[in-house]
Every structure is written in C-alpha cells, then in structure tokens.
PDB file of all heavy atoms in Angstrom:
ATOM      1  N   LEU R  25    -134.202  85.793 -29.564  1.00  0.00           N
ATOM      2  CA  LEU R  25    -133.865  85.755 -31.013  1.00  0.00           C
ATOM      3  C   LEU R  25    -132.365  85.770 -31.216  1.00  0.00           C
ATOM      4  O   LEU R  25    -131.695  86.446 -30.501  1.00  0.00           O
ATOM      5  CB  LEU R  25    -134.613  86.815 -31.719  1.00  0.00           C
ATOM      6  CG  LEU R  25    -136.095  86.821 -31.687  1.00  0.00           C
ATOM      7  CD1 LEU R  25    -136.664  88.091 -32.368  1.00  0.00           C
ATOM      8  CD2 LEU R  25    -136.636  85.546 -32.364  1.00  0.00           C
ATOM      9  N   PRO R  26    -131.940  85.147 -32.336  1.00  0.00           N
ATOM     10  CA  PRO R  26    -130.541  85.222 -32.641  1.00  0.00           C
ATOM     11  C   PRO R  26    -130.216  86.599 -33.177  1.00  0.00           C
ATOM     12  O   PRO R  26    -131.127  87.385 -33.655  1.00  0.00           O
ATOM     13  CB  PRO R  26    -130.358  84.172 -33.740  1.00  0.00           C
ATOM     14  CG  PRO R  26    -131.738  83.945 -34.287  1.00  0.00           C
ATOM     15  CD  PRO R  26    -132.678  84.231 -33.187  1.00  0.00           C
ATOM     16  N   SER R  27    -128.930  87.055 -33.162  1.00  0.00           N
ATOM     17  CA  SER R  27    -128.567  88.373 -33.520  1.00  0.00           C
ATOM     18  C   SER R  27    -128.580  88.532 -35.054  1.00  0.00           C
ATOM     19  O   SER R  27    -128.681  89.669 -35.527  1.00  0.00           O
ATOM     20  CB  SER R  27    -127.186  88.698 -32.938  1.00  0.00           C
ATOM     21  OG  SER R  27    -126.201  87.728 -33.373  1.00  0.00           O
ATOM     22  N   SER R  28    -128.462  87.484 -35.753  1.00  0.00           N
ATOM     23  CA  SER R  28    -128.451  87.605 -37.251  1.00  0.00           C
ATOM     24  C   SER R  28    -128.790  86.250 -37.885  1.00  0.00           C
ATOM     25  O   SER R  28    -128.878  85.189 -37.134  1.00  0.00           O
ATOM     26  CB  SER R  28    -127.091  88.018 -37.752  1.00  0.00           C
ATOM     27  OG  SER R  28    -126.085  87.052 -37.495  1.00  0.00           O
ATOM     28  N   GLY R  29    -128.973  86.283 -39.187  1.00  0.00           N
ATOM     29  CA  GLY R  29    -129.282  85.035 -39.937  1.00  0.00           C
ATOM     30  C   GLY R  29    -130.734  84.790 -40.098  1.00  0.00           C
ATOM     31  O   GLY R  29    -131.633  85.476 -39.512  1.00  0.00           O
ATOM     32  N   SER R  30    -131.047  83.828 -40.912  1.00  0.00           N
ATOM     33  CA  SER R  30    -132.487  83.527 -41.156  1.00  0.00           C
ATOM     34  C   SER R  30    -132.986  82.616 -40.083  1.00  0.00           C
ATOM     35  O   SER R  30    -132.214  81.869 -39.456  1.00  0.00           O
ATOM     36  CB  SER R  30    -132.605  82.747 -42.547  1.00  0.00           C
ATOM     37  OG  SER R  30    -131.833  81.607 -42.510  1.00  0.00           O
ATOM     38  N   VAL R  31    -134.282  82.766 -39.715  1.00  0.00           N
ATOM     39  CA  VAL R  31    -134.801  82.042 -38.538  1.00  0.00           C
ATOM     40  C   VAL R  31    -136.085  81.300 -38.991  1.00  0.00           C
ATOM     41  O   VAL R  31    -136.924  81.800 -39.700  1.00  0.00           O
ATOM     42  CB  VAL R  31    -135.251  83.039 -37.472  1.00  0.00           C
ATOM     43  CG1 VAL R  31    -135.809  82.341 -36.266  1.00  0.00           C
ATOM     44  CG2 VAL R  31    -133.977  83.885 -37.093  1.00  0.00           C
ATOM     45  N   TYR R  32    -136.174  80.032 -38.552  1.00  0.00           N
ATOM     46  CA  TYR R  32    -137.393  79.239 -38.713  1.00  0.00           C
ATOM     47  C   TYR R  32    -138.034  79.145 -37.352  1.00  0.00           C
ATOM     48  O   TYR R  32    -137.426  78.746 -36.389  1.00  0.00           O
ATOM     49  CB  TYR R  32    -137.026  77.791 -39.237  1.00  0.00           C
ATOM     50  CG  TYR R  32    -138.291  76.953 -39.458  1.00  0.00           C
ATOM     51  CD1 TYR R  32    -138.995  76.953 -40.672  1.00  0.00           C
ATOM     52  CD2 TYR R  32    -138.793  76.196 -38.397  1.00  0.00           C
ATOM     53  CE1 TYR R  32    -140.033  76.221 -40.904  1.00  0.00           C
ATOM     54  CE2 TYR R  32    -139.958  75.401 -38.654  1.00  0.00           C
ATOM     55  CZ  TYR R  32    -140.600  75.421 -39.819  1.00  0.00           C
ATOM     56  OH  TYR R  32    -141.686  74.657 -39.977  1.00  0.00           O
ATOM     57  N   VAL R  33    -139.239  79.638 -37.245  1.00  0.00           N
ATOM     58  CA  VAL R  33    -139.969  79.651 -35.966  1.00  0.00           C
ATOM     59  C   VAL R  33    -141.129  78.614 -36.043  1.00  0.00           C
ATOM     60  O   VAL R  33    -141.910  78.717 -36.994  1.00  0.00           O
ATOM     61  CB  VAL R  33    -140.562  81.052 -35.628  1.00  0.00           C
ATOM     62  CG1 VAL R  33    -141.346  80.987 -34.324  1.00  0.00           C
ATOM     63  CG2 VAL R  33    -139.420  82.073 -35.519  1.00  0.00           C
ATOM     64  N   ALA R  34    -141.100  77.658 -35.119  1.00  0.00           N
ATOM     65  CA  ALA R  34    -142.225  76.698 -35.064  1.00  0.00           C
ATOM     66  C   ALA R  34    -143.004  76.879 -33.854  1.00  0.00           C
ATOM     67  O   ALA R  34    -142.347  76.939 -32.735  1.00  0.00           O
ATOM     68  CB  ALA R  34    -141.542  75.254 -35.105  1.00  0.00           C
ATOM     69  N   ARG R  35    -144.265  77.045 -34.003  1.00  0.00           N
ATOM     70  CA  ARG R  35    -145.155  77.197 -32.779  1.00  0.00           C
ATOM     71  C   ARG R  35    -145.933  75.924 -32.561  1.00  0.00           C
ATOM     72  O   ARG R  35    -146.521  75.410 -33.539  1.00  0.00           O
ATOM     73  CB  ARG R  35    -146.069  78.321 -33.034  1.00  0.00           C
ATOM     74  CG  ARG R  35    -145.370  79.681 -32.992  1.00  0.00           C
ATOM     75  CD  ARG R  35    -146.398  80.786 -33.130  1.00  0.00           C
ATOM     76  NE  ARG R  35    -147.065  80.878 -31.849  1.00  0.00           N
ATOM     77  CZ  ARG R  35    -147.456  82.036 -31.359  1.00  0.00           C
ATOM     78  NH1 ARG R  35    -147.211  83.185 -31.911  1.00  0.00           N
ATOM     79  NH2 ARG R  35    -148.002  82.112 -30.150  1.00  0.00           N
ATOM     80  N   LEU R  36    -145.820  75.349 -31.410  1.00  0.00           N
ATOM     81  CA  LEU R  36    -146.462  74.092 -31.037  1.00  0.00           C
ATOM     82  C   LEU R  36    -147.391  74.339 -29.805  1.00  0.00           C
ATOM     83  O   LEU R  36    -147.060  75.273 -29.009  1.00  0.00           O
ATOM     84  CB  LEU R  36    -145.459  72.999 -30.727  1.00  0.00           C
ATOM     85  CG  LEU R  36    -144.532  72.686 -31.892  1.00  0.00           C
ATOM     86  CD1 LEU R  36    -143.084  73.124 -31.560  1.00  0.00           C
ATOM     87  CD2 LEU R  36    -144.543  71.188 -32.183  1.00  0.00           C
ATOM     88  N   ASN R  37    -148.292  73.516 -29.576  1.00  0.00           N
ATOM     89  CA  ASN R  37    -149.219  73.655 -28.450  1.00  0.00           C
ATOM     90  C   ASN R  37    -149.174  72.389 -27.674  1.00  0.00           C
ATOM     91  O   ASN R  37    -149.498  71.295 -28.058  1.00  0.00           O
ATOM     92  CB  ASN R  37    -150.646  73.902 -29.006  1.00  0.00           C
ATOM     93  CG  ASN R  37    -151.622  74.240 -27.859  1.00  0.00           C
ATOM     94  OD1 ASN R  37    -151.414  73.817 -26.716  1.00  0.00           O
ATOM     95  ND2 ASN R  37    -152.715  74.805 -28.200  1.00  0.00           N
ATOM     96  N   GLY R  38    -148.741  72.569 -26.406  1.00  0.00           N
ATOM     97  CA  GLY R  38    -148.613  71.443 -25.426  1.00  0.00           C
ATOM     98  C   GLY R  38    -149.929  70.737 -25.222  1.00  0.00           C
ATOM     99  O   GLY R  38    -149.952  69.547 -24.855  1.00  0.00           O
ATOM    100  N   GLN R  39    -151.088  71.427 -25.308  1.00  0.00           N
ATOM    101  CA  GLN R  39    -152.376  70.807 -25.144  1.00  0.00           C
ATOM    102  C   GLN R  39    -152.692  69.762 -26.280  1.00  0.00           C
ATOM    103  O   GLN R  39    -153.504  68.903 -25.992  1.00  0.00           O
ATOM    104  CB  GLN R  39    -153.431  71.854 -25.092  1.00  0.00           C
ATOM    105  CG  GLN R  39    -153.387  72.674 -23.826  1.00  0.00           C
ATOM    106  CD  GLN R  39    -154.419  73.791 -23.753  1.00  0.00           C
ATOM    107  OE1 GLN R  39    -155.066  74.140 -24.728  1.00  0.00           O
ATOM    108  NE2 GLN R  39    -154.527  74.399 -22.572  1.00  0.00           N
ATOM    109  N   GLU R  40    -151.981  69.878 -27.372  1.00  0.00           N
ATOM    110  CA  GLU R  40    -152.151  68.920 -28.423  1.00  0.00           C
ATOM    111  C   GLU R  40    -151.246  67.726 -28.339  1.00  0.00           C
ATOM    112  O   GLU R  40    -151.169  66.896 -29.224  1.00  0.00           O
ATOM    113  CB  GLU R  40    -152.039  69.631 -29.746  1.00  0.00           C
ATOM    114  CG  GLU R  40    -153.084  70.635 -30.033  1.00  0.00           C
ATOM    115  CD  GLU R  40    -152.882  71.376 -31.378  1.00  0.00           C
ATOM    116  OE1 GLU R  40    -152.273  70.812 -32.309  1.00  0.00           O
ATOM    117  OE2 GLU R  40    -153.410  72.443 -31.504  1.00  0.00           O
ATOM    118  N   MET R  41    -150.530  67.619 -27.195  1.00  0.00           N
ATOM    119  CA  MET R  41    -149.523  66.601 -26.992  1.00  0.00           C
ATOM    120  C   MET R  41    -149.735  65.832 -25.674  1.00  0.00           C
ATOM    121  O   MET R  41    -148.821  65.777 -24.821  1.00  0.00           O
ATOM    122  CB  MET R  41    -148.085  67.171 -27.060  1.00  0.00           C
ATOM    123  CG  MET R  41    -147.780  67.770 -28.381  1.00  0.00           C
ATOM    124  SD  MET R  41    -146.068  68.427 -28.494  1.00  0.00           S
ATOM    125  CE  MET R  41    -146.378  70.128 -28.001  1.00  0.00           C
ATOM    126  N   PRO R  42    -150.903  65.232 -25.460  1.00  0.00           N
ATOM    127  CA  PRO R  42    -151.175  64.550 -24.221  1.00  0.00           C
ATOM    128  C   PRO R  42    -150.449  63.159 -24.084  1.00  0.00           C
ATOM    129  O   PRO R  42    -150.257  62.655 -23.014  1.00  0.00           O
ATOM    130  CB  PRO R  42    -152.666  64.405 -24.238  1.00  0.00           C
ATOM    131  CG  PRO R  42    -153.025  64.279 -25.640  1.00  0.00           C
ATOM    132  CD  PRO R  42    -152.081  65.231 -26.324  1.00  0.00           C
ATOM    133  N   ASP R  43    -150.105  62.587 -25.300  1.00  0.00           N
ATOM    134  CA  ASP R  43    -149.469  61.291 -25.201  1.00  0.00           C
ATOM    135  C   ASP R  43    -148.394  61.256 -26.339  1.00  0.00           C
ATOM    136  O   ASP R  43    -148.130  62.147 -27.072  1.00  0.00           O
ATOM    137  CB  ASP R  43    -150.542  60.144 -25.504  1.00  0.00           C
ATOM    138  CG  ASP R  43    -151.268  60.423 -26.853  1.00  0.00           C
ATOM    139  OD1 ASP R  43    -150.619  60.712 -27.855  1.00  0.00           O
ATOM    140  OD2 ASP R  43    -152.532  60.323 -26.759  1.00  0.00           O
ATOM    141  N   GLU R  44    -147.605  60.121 -26.250  1.00  0.00           N
ATOM    142  CA  GLU R  44    -146.442  60.017 -27.225  1.00  0.00           C
ATOM    143  C   GLU R  44    -146.816  60.215 -28.744  1.00  0.00           C
ATOM    144  O   GLU R  44    -146.255  60.938 -29.440  1.00  0.00           O
ATOM    145  CB  GLU R  44    -145.742  58.708 -27.008  1.00  0.00           C
ATOM    146  CG  GLU R  44    -144.973  58.584 -25.720  1.00  0.00           C
ATOM    147  CD  GLU R  44    -144.180  57.314 -25.522  1.00  0.00           C
ATOM    148  OE1 GLU R  44    -144.200  56.473 -26.460  1.00  0.00           O
ATOM    149  OE2 GLU R  44    -143.590  57.184 -24.482  1.00  0.00           O
ATOM    150  N   VAL R  45    -147.856  59.482 -29.116  1.00  0.00           N
ATOM    151  CA  VAL R  45    -148.207  59.500 -30.508  1.00  0.00           C
ATOM    152  C   VAL R  45    -148.634  60.937 -30.985  1.00  0.00           C
ATOM    153  O   VAL R  45    -148.167  61.373 -32.007  1.00  0.00           O
ATOM    154  CB  VAL R  45    -149.464  58.502 -30.771  1.00  0.00           C
ATOM    155  CG1 VAL R  45    -150.032  58.657 -32.182  1.00  0.00           C
ATOM    156  CG2 VAL R  45    -149.016  57.050 -30.553  1.00  0.00           C
ATOM    157  N   SER R  46    -149.439  61.603 -30.171  1.00  0.00           N
ATOM    158  CA  SER R  46    -149.824  62.951 -30.566  1.00  0.00           C
ATOM    159  C   SER R  46    -148.600  63.904 -30.492  1.00  0.00           C
ATOM    160  O   SER R  46    -148.518  64.872 -31.315  1.00  0.00           O
ATOM    161  CB  SER R  46    -150.965  63.533 -29.722  1.00  0.00           C
ATOM    162  OG  SER R  46    -150.690  63.512 -28.321  1.00  0.00           O
ATOM    163  N   THR R  47    -147.689  63.664 -29.605  1.00  0.00           N
ATOM    164  CA  THR R  47    -146.492  64.496 -29.532  1.00  0.00           C
ATOM    165  C   THR R  47    -145.701  64.301 -30.840  1.00  0.00           C
ATOM    166  O   THR R  47    -145.210  65.287 -31.423  1.00  0.00           O
ATOM    167  CB  THR R  47    -145.567  64.051 -28.254  1.00  0.00           C
ATOM    168  OG1 THR R  47    -146.456  64.368 -27.123  1.00  0.00           O
ATOM    169  CG2 THR R  47    -144.348  64.976 -28.153  1.00  0.00           C
ATOM    170  N   PHE R  48    -145.424  63.057 -31.166  1.00  0.00           N
ATOM    171  CA  PHE R  48    -144.662  62.761 -32.358  1.00  0.00           C
ATOM    172  C   PHE R  48    -145.398  63.318 -33.613  1.00  0.00           C
ATOM    173  O   PHE R  48    -144.771  63.934 -34.449  1.00  0.00           O
ATOM    174  CB  PHE R  48    -144.432  61.278 -32.549  1.00  0.00           C
ATOM    175  CG  PHE R  48    -143.570  60.586 -31.482  1.00  0.00           C
ATOM    176  CD1 PHE R  48    -143.806  59.285 -31.134  1.00  0.00           C
ATOM    177  CD2 PHE R  48    -142.626  61.312 -30.834  1.00  0.00           C
ATOM    178  CE1 PHE R  48    -143.051  58.659 -30.145  1.00  0.00           C
ATOM    179  CE2 PHE R  48    -141.805  60.663 -29.837  1.00  0.00           C
ATOM    180  CZ  PHE R  48    -142.066  59.373 -29.527  1.00  0.00           C
ATOM    181  N   GLN R  49    -146.663  63.200 -33.649  1.00  0.00           N
ATOM    182  CA  GLN R  49    -147.467  63.740 -34.764  1.00  0.00           C
ATOM    183  C   GLN R  49    -147.349  65.209 -34.873  1.00  0.00           C
ATOM    184  O   GLN R  49    -147.104  65.725 -36.019  1.00  0.00           O
ATOM    185  CB  GLN R  49    -148.900  63.286 -34.641  1.00  0.00           C
ATOM    186  CG  GLN R  49    -149.806  63.731 -35.745  1.00  0.00           C
ATOM    187  CD  GLN R  49    -149.579  62.959 -37.083  1.00  0.00           C
ATOM    188  OE1 GLN R  49    -149.338  61.843 -37.071  1.00  0.00           O
ATOM    189  NE2 GLN R  49    -149.607  63.708 -38.175  1.00  0.00           N
ATOM    190  N   HIS R  50    -147.501  65.873 -33.752  1.00  0.00           N
ATOM    191  CA  HIS R  50    -147.496  67.369 -33.778  1.00  0.00           C
ATOM    192  C   HIS R  50    -146.087  67.880 -34.202  1.00  0.00           C
ATOM    193  O   HIS R  50    -146.021  68.737 -35.065  1.00  0.00           O
ATOM    194  CB  HIS R  50    -147.828  67.870 -32.391  1.00  0.00           C
ATOM    195  CG  HIS R  50    -148.314  69.269 -32.351  1.00  0.00           C
ATOM    196  ND1 HIS R  50    -149.178  69.856 -33.179  1.00  0.00           N
ATOM    197  CD2 HIS R  50    -147.942  70.252 -31.402  1.00  0.00           C
ATOM    198  CE1 HIS R  50    -149.381  71.117 -32.782  1.00  0.00           C
ATOM    199  NE2 HIS R  50    -148.639  71.413 -31.780  1.00  0.00           N
ATOM    200  N   PHE R  51    -145.071  67.347 -33.652  1.00  0.00           N
ATOM    201  CA  PHE R  51    -143.750  67.821 -34.048  1.00  0.00           C
ATOM    202  C   PHE R  51    -143.441  67.401 -35.481  1.00  0.00           C
ATOM    203  O   PHE R  51    -142.844  68.233 -36.248  1.00  0.00           O
ATOM    204  CB  PHE R  51    -142.646  67.092 -33.153  1.00  0.00           C
ATOM    205  CG  PHE R  51    -142.259  67.976 -31.983  1.00  0.00           C
ATOM    206  CD1 PHE R  51    -143.090  68.029 -30.880  1.00  0.00           C
ATOM    207  CD2 PHE R  51    -141.149  68.653 -32.015  1.00  0.00           C
ATOM    208  CE1 PHE R  51    -142.755  68.884 -29.827  1.00  0.00           C
ATOM    209  CE2 PHE R  51    -140.734  69.555 -30.900  1.00  0.00           C
ATOM    210  CZ  PHE R  51    -141.605  69.664 -29.824  1.00  0.00           C
ATOM    211  N   SER R  52    -143.845  66.252 -35.936  1.00  0.00           N
ATOM    212  CA  SER R  52    -143.636  65.820 -37.307  1.00  0.00           C
ATOM    213  C   SER R  52    -144.329  66.762 -38.266  1.00  0.00           C
ATOM    214  O   SER R  52    -143.659  67.135 -39.284  1.00  0.00           O
ATOM    215  CB  SER R  52    -144.118  64.383 -37.489  1.00  0.00           C
ATOM    216  OG  SER R  52    -143.964  63.964 -38.825  1.00  0.00           O
ATOM    217  N   GLU R  53    -145.477  67.192 -37.980  1.00  0.00           N
ATOM    218  CA  GLU R  53    -146.281  68.139 -38.844  1.00  0.00           C
ATOM    219  C   GLU R  53    -145.588  69.563 -38.886  1.00  0.00           C
ATOM    220  O   GLU R  53    -145.339  70.109 -39.957  1.00  0.00           O
ATOM    221  CB  GLU R  53    -147.645  68.141 -38.479  1.00  0.00           C
ATOM    222  CG  GLU R  53    -148.482  66.971 -38.769  1.00  0.00           C
ATOM    223  CD  GLU R  53    -149.899  66.939 -38.171  1.00  0.00           C
ATOM    224  OE1 GLU R  53    -150.269  67.998 -37.459  1.00  0.00           O
ATOM    225  OE2 GLU R  53    -150.625  66.002 -38.322  1.00  0.00           O
ATOM    226  N   VAL R  54    -145.361  70.025 -37.692  1.00  0.00           N
ATOM    227  CA  VAL R  54    -144.833  71.350 -37.567  1.00  0.00           C
ATOM    228  C   VAL R  54    -143.396  71.570 -38.026  1.00  0.00           C
ATOM    229  O   VAL R  54    -143.015  72.515 -38.754  1.00  0.00           O
ATOM    230  CB  VAL R  54    -145.058  71.939 -36.136  1.00  0.00           C
ATOM    231  CG1 VAL R  54    -144.432  73.284 -35.952  1.00  0.00           C
ATOM    232  CG2 VAL R  54    -146.506  71.992 -35.804  1.00  0.00           C
ATOM    233  N   LEU R  55    -142.562  70.576 -37.734  1.00  0.00           N
ATOM    234  CA  LEU R  55    -141.173  70.621 -38.158  1.00  0.00           C
ATOM    235  C   LEU R  55    -140.802  69.865 -39.433  1.00  0.00           C
ATOM    236  O   LEU R  55    -139.644  69.723 -39.796  1.00  0.00           O
ATOM    237  CB  LEU R  55    -140.262  70.117 -36.951  1.00  0.00           C
ATOM    238  CG  LEU R  55    -140.257  70.996 -35.735  1.00  0.00           C
ATOM    239  CD1 LEU R  55    -139.450  70.322 -34.627  1.00  0.00           C
ATOM    240  CD2 LEU R  55    -139.720  72.381 -35.985  1.00  0.00           C
ATOM    241  N   LYS R  56    -141.890  69.383 -40.019  1.00  0.00           N
ATOM    242  CA  LYS R  56    -141.731  68.735 -41.349  1.00  0.00           C
ATOM    243  C   LYS R  56    -140.715  67.542 -41.325  1.00  0.00           C
ATOM    244  O   LYS R  56    -139.828  67.461 -42.155  1.00  0.00           O
ATOM    245  CB  LYS R  56    -141.393  69.725 -42.370  1.00  0.00           C
ATOM    246  CG  LYS R  56    -142.282  70.875 -42.481  1.00  0.00           C
ATOM    247  CD  LYS R  56    -141.906  71.948 -43.408  1.00  0.00           C
ATOM    248  CE  LYS R  56    -142.937  73.068 -43.364  1.00  0.00           C
ATOM    249  NZ  LYS R  56    -142.392  74.340 -43.562  1.00  0.00           N
TER     250      LYS R  56
END
C-alpha cells in the first residue's frame, strides 16, 4: 500500500480471463 493519499483498489480474477476478449472485458468493467 502507498504511504498516503487516496487509493483505488481493483480486484480481478485471472480465471475470468482465459482469452483476449474476456481479459479486455474484465479490465474494462472493473477499471471503468
């Protein structure tokens, strides 16, 4: 963790990213 400041924590699951499309989809949803 950083020593100070506001933090955005994104939790992703590698099992939901077996291929490129699902990887892009998962990141796009979680990281907006």
Side-chain angles (χ1 to χ4, degrees):
L25 296 177
S27 57
S28 65
S30 59
V31 179
Y32 182 89
V33 178
R35 292 184 74 144
L36 300 111
N37 186 336
Q39 292 178 344
E40 295 180 21
M41 298 183 265
D43 54 48
E44 289 182 3
V45 172
S46 59
T47 300
F48 296 149
Q49 180 70 38
H50 199 44
F51 266 79
S52 179
E53 289 171 0
V54 173
L55 292 175
K56 304 172 182 148

